[in-house]
Amino acid sequence: MRGGVFKAFVALLLVHVASPCPKECSCDAEAKSVDCRGRGLYDIPRHLQSDTLELLLQDNRIRGLGSMVFRDVPQLRVLDLTNNSITSVSPSALLGLRVLQSLSLGHNAIRELDRRLLGSVRNLTLLDLSHNVITGLPGAMADSMRQLRHLFLRNNRLQKLDRGHLEALESLEELQLRGNPWRCDCHMIALKLWLETFRFKGGVVDEVTCTQPDPMKDKDLQRVPYELFHSCMATSYHYLFSNLRHLETEHRHRVDLLHLPELAGGGTEAGQLPECEPKQRPRPVNLRHAIATVVVTGVVCSIVLLMMVAAAIYGCAYAAIMARYQRDLKKAEQRAAAAVSLPEKDKDKEAKGTADEKEPLENTIA
């Protein structure tokens, strides 16, 4: 009996030695979770268990995330760094976290994110960047977040958001944008159209409150009528042709680079092609506007058809009236001519009768 107890104790001791837990944290071996919340940490704890699935680091004093700082926990699925003092994040900080699903970086002091940060994280479903000082999102970051369902960007310093960043998020279900100083100018029309399509498909989005210009201040972008963007239409063609000229010039430049002899071979730094921004996806058709266009076109065609029918009826009625008027006028003229010729015939008869009476009288006298 004592031997069995001793063996069990030794086995537990070996498990503890093989799977250490940082002294600053508490570990749950069954849930494979490491809880380091509110411990006053300045750095990421070391000697984490390699099979850790959840790492909770909220309410600490961590100021930055270095390169491959989570290399000891490649199976990590949940990483929560909310409410720290993070100001910088290395582009390779998350390298190796291929199965990460939830990343929370809210309530920090992050100013910008490198586009390579999430390049290796392909299964992310939740990304919380709220309550930072982010002014923009990198263009290529969205390409690695096609599985993302929840994106929180509230209370940052975003003034505009490119529609191309959102179109790549094919699985997005919830988007939070409140608390940013949105500048609702002509560049925001594309975002307004995307938000309407997103909500039409069942997506959840909060308010996008404009701070400028003054006519749109404190108004929700989704409720701003399109009439307030009428000035944008005057510059749309100029903007389009300017972009076409820019793209053509850029394309020629890249073709010239491809034909340079020093770029023809090797994997050296001089032989590598320059990184280029990913091409934006084609914008989806706005079903709501398509239906409205069809309805308006149908109404206009119906009105035109009714006007044509009314004009045809009016023309037929006018022609019938004029024909009847001409017939009545012709009959009246005929009656007047008959009335004039009748007295002349009576006079001729009287004159002929008088001449017949005179002939017997002359014969008698003779």
Side-chain angles (χ1 to χ4, degrees):
M1 183 69 180
R2 293 180 179 178
V5 174
F6 178 76
K7 289 180 180 180
F9 176 75
V10 172
L12 290 175
L13 183 61
L14 290 175
V15 170
H16 180 74
V17 173
S19 303
C21 181
K23 61 181 181 179
E24 306 92 346
C25 310
S26 60
C27 301
D28 187 342
E30 294 183 0
K32 298 181 180 180
S33 174
V34 179
D35 188 351
C36 307
R37 291 176 290 183
R39 304 299 174 93
L41 301 177
Y42 288 93
D43 297 302
I44 305 298
R46 297 181 179 181
H47 307 298
L48 294 169
Q49 301 174 16
S50 60
D51 60 347
T52 301
L53 300 180
E54 184 179 40
L55 180 57
L56 306 178
L57 294 166
Q58 302 99 301
D59 306 318
N60 283 288
R61 301 176 182 178
I62 300 173
R63 296 185 177 180
L65 299 178
S67 175
M68 299 184 66
V69 68
F70 301 104
R71 59 181 175 273
D72 296 333
V73 285
Q75 302 299 321
L76 196 64
R77 296 186 179 180
V78 178
L79 177 58
D80 197 333
L81 289 157
T82 304
N83 196 24
N84 278 273
S85 302
I86 300 174
T87 57
S88 61
V89 181
S90 172
S92 57
L94 304 178
L95 194 63
L97 300 181
R98 297 184 179 276
V99 294
L100 187 65
Q101 296 179 355
S102 176
L103 175 61
S104 300
L105 293 169
H107 291 270
N108 283 283
I110 302 173
R111 294 182 178 275
E112 60 180 357
L113 295 175
D114 193 278
R115 65 179 184 177
R116 297 168 292 178
L117 177 64
L118 300 174
S120 61
V121 184
R122 300 286 178 174
N123 297 310
L124 201 64
T125 60
L126 184 147
L127 178 60
D128 185 1
L129 297 173
S130 59
H131 293 274
N132 281 281
V133 287
I134 299 173
T135 57
L137 297 179
M141 189 178 70
D143 293 337
S144 60
M145 298 191 297
R146 299 187 184 279
Q147 304 298 325
L148 193 68
R149 294 200 298 268
H150 306 278
L151 177 59
F152 305 146
L153 297 171
R154 61 183 183 275
N155 294 98
N156 277 280
R157 295 184 181 178
L158 297 171
Q159 292 188 349
K160 62 180 181 178
L161 186 59
D162 191 354
R163 178 176 177 171
H165 294 156
L166 301 173
E167 289 179 345
L169 306 179
E170 302 172 352
S171 304
L172 192 64
E173 298 175 359
E174 182 182 8
L175 178 63
Q176 295 185 6
L177 299 171
R178 181 180 299 176
N180 285 282
W182 298 108
R183 181 179 178 84
C184 299
D185 54 11
C186 298
H187 297 286
M188 295 290 280
I189 297 180
L191 177 62
K192 176 178 172 63
L193 293 173
W194 184 90
L195 291 174
E196 292 179 355
T197 305
F198 179 65
R199 295 187 64 180
F200 179 79
K201 293 180 179 179
V204 178
V205 62
D206 56 1
E207 295 181 356
V208 181
T209 305
C210 304
T211 59
Q212 51 183 322
D214 291 338
M216 301 184 189
K217 189 175 182 179
D218 298 329
K219 293 182 179 180
D220 186 3
L221 176 65
Q222 303 172 77
R223 300 181 181 275
V224 174
Y226 283 96
E227 288 76 7
L228 294 182
F229 292 100
H230 68 279
S231 60
C232 302
M233 303 304 176
T235 60
S236 59
Y237 291 106
H238 175 72
Y239 178 75
L240 174 61
F241 288 120
S242 297
N243 282 343
L244 289 176
R245 287 194 294 267
H246 171 71
L247 291 175
E248 183 180 1
T249 304
E250 185 177 1
H251 174 70
R252 291 178 179 175
H253 177 66
R254 290 179 179 175
V255 170
D256 293 339
L257 288 176
L258 290 175
H259 289 85
L260 287 176
E262 50 269 32
L263 296 179
T268 61
E269 293 182 358
Q272 293 180 353
L273 292 177
E275 296 183 358
C276 57
E277 293 290 336
K279 183 175 65 175
Q280 291 187 359
R281 288 174 154 269
R283 298 179 179 178
V285 177
N286 192 323
L287 183 59
R288 181 178 176 182
H289 286 79
I291 295 175
T293 303
V294 172
V295 172
V296 171
T297 304
V299 171
V300 172
C301 292
S302 300
I303 294 174
V304 172
L305 181 61
L306 291 175
M307 293 177 64
M308 293 176 63
V309 172
I313 295 174
Y314 174 79
C316 294
Y318 179 79
I321 293 172
M322 291 301 297
R324 184 174 180 180
Y325 172 76
Q326 293 294 333
R327 288 197 302 269
D328 294 344
L329 182 62
K330 188 174 182 180
K331 289 181 180 180
E333 291 176 353
Q334 290 177 353
R335 292 195 191 97
V340 171
S341 62
L342 184 60
E344 293 179 356
K345 291 180 178 180
D346 292 339
K347 290 181 179 180
D348 293 338
K349 290 181 180 179
E350 291 178 358
K352 186 176 181 180
T354 304
D356 293 339
E357 291 178 356
K358 288 182 178 180
E359 287 181 0
L361 180 59
E362 292 176 353
N363 294 329
T364 305
I365 296 174

